[in-house]
Amino acid sequence: MKAYKFVVAFFMGILILFCSCTITNKNSESVVNFNGTKYEKYQGTLIQTGNLSAITQQGHITYYNNLNKEENGENINVNTYEGDSSNIFILVGQNIWNEGVVFHKKADILPRITDGDRISSISVNLPNDAKPYYLSSQAKTDYIRFLSKIINSDSGLVIIKTDGSPGEGSVITNYKNYPAYDSSINIKSISNGRFALNFSESDKNKRLLKDTNNAVIIPNWLIYEIKKS
């Protein structure tokens, strides 16, 4: 009897592992229906706030294979996040073998790091400086304007090569009444006491700054404004 239970548990584990692989398969589009709302896989840089709920609920996931054009589905475990009363984000398929995959409500419009009206606060941690600088209204406006220039590939930017080490400082962007924050901006310490900025996503950094290890020099006047905050 024990051997039978072991075999059943083993094959259930394989089935669950197969399901989690299907969720993350690049050739498969997955849509989760949870409490009558549709969700899609989240692949951005936002980090969900709040602890994961201990209560597991049930949703239904549909897989559409782009290669063979087949569609199938099944019921699947869903966990919500505490403090996310609208369930903008959910965790799908978590179990003892798998950490699960974050899904995002399809109808929700994600905030961006340059959405000034949706940002509640920005804190900057400069390299070798223990103090977090919570940007004043003016510093926040000027920082977002500088960041927008980078995203829009402004020709006036000074781009340098870094040594490829992890970010020594960071920027945390919090949003108004939104259950996630962004920490995808790194601050690098460079020569002559200056600082440079780049993105934690290698693909994004390469696309915007031409190389994964490149960074943009932050103007001295902006550093001055940050330190005044």
Side-chain angles (χ1 to χ4, degrees):
M1 187 65 177
K2 289 183 178 179
Y4 171 77
K5 289 182 178 179
F6 173 80
V7 171
V8 171
F10 175 78
F11 280 104
M12 284 297 293
I14 295 296
L15 178 61
I16 292 170
L17 184 61
F18 171 77
C19 293
S20 69
C21 290
T22 305
I23 292 174
T24 56
N25 189 330
K26 66 180 180 179
N27 295 318
S28 175
E29 293 179 17
S30 306
V31 175
V32 168
N33 191 304
F34 176 63
N35 290 342
T37 301
K38 290 185 177 181
Y39 290 78
E40 59 191 353
K41 282 184 293 185
Y42 179 64
Q43 299 174 321
T45 60
L46 292 178
I47 299 173
Q48 291 69 51
T49 57
N51 295 322
L52 198 65
S53 66
I55 300 174
T56 298
Q57 303 179 59
Q58 192 175 82
H60 185 82
I61 188 166
T62 300
Y63 310 110
Y64 180 76
N65 192 305
N66 294 313
L67 294 179
N68 58 25
K69 310 301 182 185
E70 290 183 354
E71 182 177 286
N72 54 63
E74 64 184 308
N75 292 331
I76 197 164
N77 291 339
V78 171
N79 290 85
T80 58
Y81 291 89
E82 295 176 359
D84 184 358
S85 58
S86 299
N87 293 331
I88 292 173
F89 296 96
I90 58 175
L91 189 71
V92 172
Q94 184 190 46
N95 52 64
I96 60 174
W97 293 280
N98 180 46
E99 294 181 351
V101 178
V102 175
F103 273 65
H104 169 251
K105 187 181 289 187
K106 292 189 74 171
D108 175 66
I109 300 175
L110 290 161
R112 297 172 298 177
I113 51 177
T114 53
D115 284 343
D117 292 339
R118 298 190 66 179
I119 294 172
S120 61
S121 67
I122 298 175
S123 64
V124 177
N125 298 279
L126 294 174
N128 305 314
D129 190 338
K131 175 186 176 181
Y133 296 92
Y134 289 88
L135 301 192
S136 65
S137 178
Q138 185 59 52
K140 184 172 77 170
T141 298
D142 290 337
Y143 165 77
I144 292 173
R145 185 178 294 122
F146 174 66
L147 195 56
S148 297
K149 287 184 177 181
I150 298 173
I151 293 172
N152 293 322
S153 301
D154 189 288
S155 59
L157 300 171
V158 180
I159 298 175
I160 63 167
K161 189 85 169 179
T162 67
D163 61 5
S165 61
E168 298 167 296
S170 62
V171 179
I172 306 296
T173 301
N174 295 292
Y175 299 98
K176 300 173 184 176
N177 303 313
Y178 200 79
Y181 65 91
D182 183 277
S183 62
S184 64
I185 301 295
N186 296 325
I187 305 294
K188 303 282 188 177
S189 179
I190 56 177
S191 59
N192 301 320
R194 303 193 69 180
F195 300 99
L197 175 156
N198 70 3
F199 301 89
S200 62
E201 293 177 284
S202 296
D203 290 346
K204 186 173 186 178
N205 210 70
K206 186 174 183 178
R207 174 168 53 85
L208 294 176
L209 304 181
K210 313 308 178 188
D211 190 274
T212 55
N213 294 328
N214 281 355
V216 179
I217 292 179
I218 304 173
N220 284 334
W221 60 264
L222 181 54
I223 293 296
Y224 175 74
E225 282 196 8
I226 290 172
K227 288 187 174 182
K228 277 177 51 181
S229 298

